[in-house]
Amino acid sequence: MLTTPTQIAPLLAAKTIDNIFFKKFLRGVSSKEVDERIHRLSETVSAQIDCLACANCCKKLEPGLEASEIETLATLKQQEIDAFKQQYVAYDGEALYLQTKPCMFLDDCACTIYENRPAACAGYPHLNQPDMKFRRTLWENYSICPIVFNVLEQLKEELGFKR
């Protein structure tokens, strides 16, 4: 099992074509089966990877935000809400998100606001959702999160995927 982004990075180019074919392969597998397998694998893999040794999600991603979360983050940052929004919040036409990389609340590999972190952070890597095979973020997170990488690689093995 690969546990750090530095172990995964050199493999990504070679895996790109495999993943294109694997997405096509998944069309022939029921969404229910894919979900059950991913959810189970996620529990197993997550137990073996220490997120505090990685924190790549906090270094590379910009989490989505709800209005109430913006207020909380502004308070934690000791800023007025409007000033915080202007400096740190962006809107991409669909959602609000925290636009800082790495996250301003990251200290080494630990979240300094863990108990108050946004829901998008708390739910990461979001492998417990329904209809996983249709989720774009699953494939985006493959290159960022060792949990997602290992879950998908193990899913390929379990389903007998061969290219």
Side-chain angles (χ1 to χ4, degrees):
M1 179 165 317
L2 304 179
T3 59
T4 67
T6 54
Q7 293 172 310
I8 294 168
L11 305 174
L12 292 176
K15 298 280 186 185
T16 299
I17 301 298
D18 265 1
N19 287 340
I20 291 168
F21 283 100
F22 185 57
K23 287 178 207 177
K24 290 180 181 182
F25 174 85
L26 286 177
R27 292 178 190 163
V29 182
S30 78
S31 190
K32 181 181 178 188
E33 182 178 356
V34 171
D35 287 351
E36 288 172 356
R37 289 176 185 263
I38 286 177
H39 298 165
R40 178 181 42 77
L41 288 168
S42 176
E43 286 183 32
T44 304
V45 171
S46 294
Q48 299 174 60
I49 294 179
D50 179 10
C51 291
L52 288 173
C54 177
N56 206 37
C57 52
C58 304
K59 296 170 186 170
K60 302 285 184 185
L61 298 175
E62 298 171 317
L65 298 171
E66 299 296 328
S68 61
E69 294 172 331
I70 294 170
E71 292 176 25
T72 300
L73 296 177
T75 301
L76 292 167
K77 191 76 173 150
Q78 300 178 337
Q79 281 188 293
E80 295 293 325
I81 294 169
D82 287 338
F84 182 85
K85 283 183 191 177
Q86 204 166 29
Q87 189 172 0
Y88 298 112
V89 178
Y91 179 70
D92 66 3
E94 294 180 27
L96 295 166
Y97 62 95
L98 186 63
Q99 63 172 9
T100 62
K101 289 193 249 182
C103 179
M104 71 182 95
F105 298 107
L106 184 65
D107 182 18
D108 193 21
C109 285
C111 179
T112 60
I113 61 161
Y114 189 79
E115 295 302 320
N116 296 296
R117 70 197 187 279
C121 299
Y124 193 82
H126 309 291
L127 293 177
N128 59 348
Q129 304 294 315
D131 301 318
M132 290 302 302
K133 74 178 188 177
F134 302 112
R135 295 193 178 269
R136 185 186 70 221
T137 56
L138 178 65
W139 301 100
E140 292 167 353
N141 292 332
Y142 176 87
S143 65
I144 294 169
C145 178
I147 295 170
V148 176
F149 178 88
N150 285 290
V151 165
L152 287 174
E153 289 303 309
Q154 289 181 25
L155 181 64
K156 290 174 187 176
E157 288 180 33
E158 279 193 12
L159 293 174
F161 170 72
K162 292 181 177 74
R163 185 172 78 95

